[in-house]
């Protein structure tokens, strides 16, 4: 993206968050169970896969060998560099490409599956990003989702409303906790095949105050054939 001065700017520029996430992401995978959720969301994928907002590439090592190729889109420079390193240790070929989810730099109907993990909360225009995912998937192709989302309970949703209008997006790279991602996915024309809701951290672990980002979904949705 070019600014008015003609200097090239990154489409997504969150240098502090990028460094925080690069350190914190692996800890969340190990301690908050995200590593296992990544394994689940990617299980059984085959063929050509596109992943949007791949970050530092934490998903890469979880792709099953049945995947022929992953095209991993990442707009943030620091995370993209880490993703390039992570791609070298993956068991399947991963091509890391700059770009944003709202304008994917790939052909229509070119992918058997798509993956969005912890990213639809942060894209600037969720509707456009989902329309792009619909465009690039072949008819019948699956979109796998691991996302935090709007709370079902009113009190928790109110907490998210406040967080989204105060510090949360500033601290966490533009993330918004109260997005109703599942409703947006359905409005974009996807059919929901599987859906699991869960909390991070789990409610049973006795945390009295939930985090705004606690409610999550793991879902498989499909572009109708
Ligand atoms: C919380 S991180 C998640 C990274 C990775 N998907 C994961 O599961 O670890 C959010 C990611 O979304 C990316 N992102 C933000 N806005 C984006 C956009 N418009 N298009 C694509 N990716 C975006 C950020 O650069 C960052 O890598």
């Amino acid at each position: 993206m070019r600014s008015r001065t003609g200097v090239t700017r990154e489409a997504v520029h969150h240098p502090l968050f990028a460094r925080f996430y690069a350190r914190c992401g692996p800890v969340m995978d190990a301690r908050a169970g995200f590593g296992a959720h990544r394994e689940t969301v990617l299980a059984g994928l085959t063929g050509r896969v596109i992943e949007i907002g791949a970050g530092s590439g934490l998903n890469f090592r979880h792709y099953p060998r049945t995947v022929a190729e992953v095209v991993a889109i990442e707009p943030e420079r620091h995370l993209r560099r880490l993703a390039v390193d992570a791609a070298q240790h993956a068991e399947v070929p991963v091509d890391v490409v700059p770009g944003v989810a709202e304008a994917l730099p790939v052909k229509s109907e070119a992918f058997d599956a798509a993956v969005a993990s912890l990213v639809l909360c942060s894209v600037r225009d969720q509707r456009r990003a989902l329309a792009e995912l619909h465009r690039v998937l072949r008819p019948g192709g699956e979109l796998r989702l691991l996302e935090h989302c709007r709370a079902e309970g009113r009190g928790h949703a109110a907490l998210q409303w406040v967080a989204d209008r105060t510090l949360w997006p500033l601290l966490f790279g533009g993330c918004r906790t109260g997005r109703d991602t599942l409703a947006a996915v359905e409005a974009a024309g996807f059919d929901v095949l599987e859906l699991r809701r869960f909390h991070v951290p789990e409610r049973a672990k006795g945390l009295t105050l939930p985090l705004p980002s606690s409610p999550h979904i793991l879902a498989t949705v499909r572009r109708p054939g």
Side-chain angles (χ1 to χ4, degrees):
M1 186 187 286
R2 281 186 174 271
S3 72
R4 270 179 288 168
T5 57
V7 176
T8 301
R9 246 189 324 125
E10 290 287 288
V12 170
H13 187 65
H14 294 299
L16 287 181
F17 172 74
R19 279 153 185 84
F20 165 77
Y21 193 74
R23 280 173 182 261
C24 193
V27 178
M28 283 164 53
D29 275 22
R31 301 224 184 125
F34 275 101
H37 295 317
R38 293 182 192 282
E39 199 83 22
T40 305
V41 81
L42 304 178
L45 286 177
T46 56
R48 293 194 77 217
V49 178
I50 184 163
E51 178 176 339
I52 59 162
S56 56
L58 289 173
N59 281 332
F60 297 170
R61 69 192 180 93
H62 299 283
Y63 277 100
R65 287 186 183 190
T66 43
V67 166
E69 181 196 6
V70 179
V71 175
I73 308 291
E74 173 51 48
E76 206 286 327
R77 189 185 307 192
H78 179 71
L79 291 172
R80 194 168 60 241
R81 263 194 226 127
L82 296 174
V84 169
D85 287 345
Q88 287 167 11
H89 303 288
E91 295 202 347
V92 302
V94 180
D95 192 10
V96 179
V97 177
V100 289
E102 294 90 336
L104 292 173
V106 295
K107 289 187 181 155
S108 300
E109 303 190 356
F111 292 90
D112 300 296
V115 173
S117 74
L118 309 175
V119 58
L120 289 172
C121 53
S122 300
V123 296
R124 250 179 232 146
D125 186 334
Q126 200 185 59
R127 202 166 54 90
R128 268 180 66 185
L130 287 166
E132 278 292 87
L133 286 167
H134 196 279
R135 174 182 73 77
V136 305
L137 273 174
R138 65 164 170 78
E142 286 183 1
L143 166 61
R144 302 285 184 90
L145 299 163
L146 167 58
E147 294 285 343
H148 65 78
C149 59
R150 183 180 297 174
E152 291 182 291
R154 273 202 199 171
H156 200 159
L159 173 68
Q160 294 179 325
W161 190 92
V162 173
D164 288 355
R165 280 153 189 81
T166 51
L167 279 182
W168 195 274
L170 293 174
L171 292 176
F172 298 112
C175 168
R176 291 194 161 60
T177 62
R179 286 185 173 172
D180 193 347
T181 297
L182 190 65
V185 164
E186 289 184 282
F190 290 96
D191 295 332
V192 179
L193 303 182
E194 284 178 38
L195 172 66
R196 206 183 110 208
R197 291 184 184 274
F198 61 100
H199 280 73
V200 180
E202 286 170 45
R203 283 173 166 165
K205 296 225 163 118
L207 194 81
T208 41
L209 277 181
L211 294 173
S213 59
S214 286
H216 280 69
I217 52 167
L218 250 171
T220 300
V221 304
R222 184 170 56 196
R223 174 178 166 172

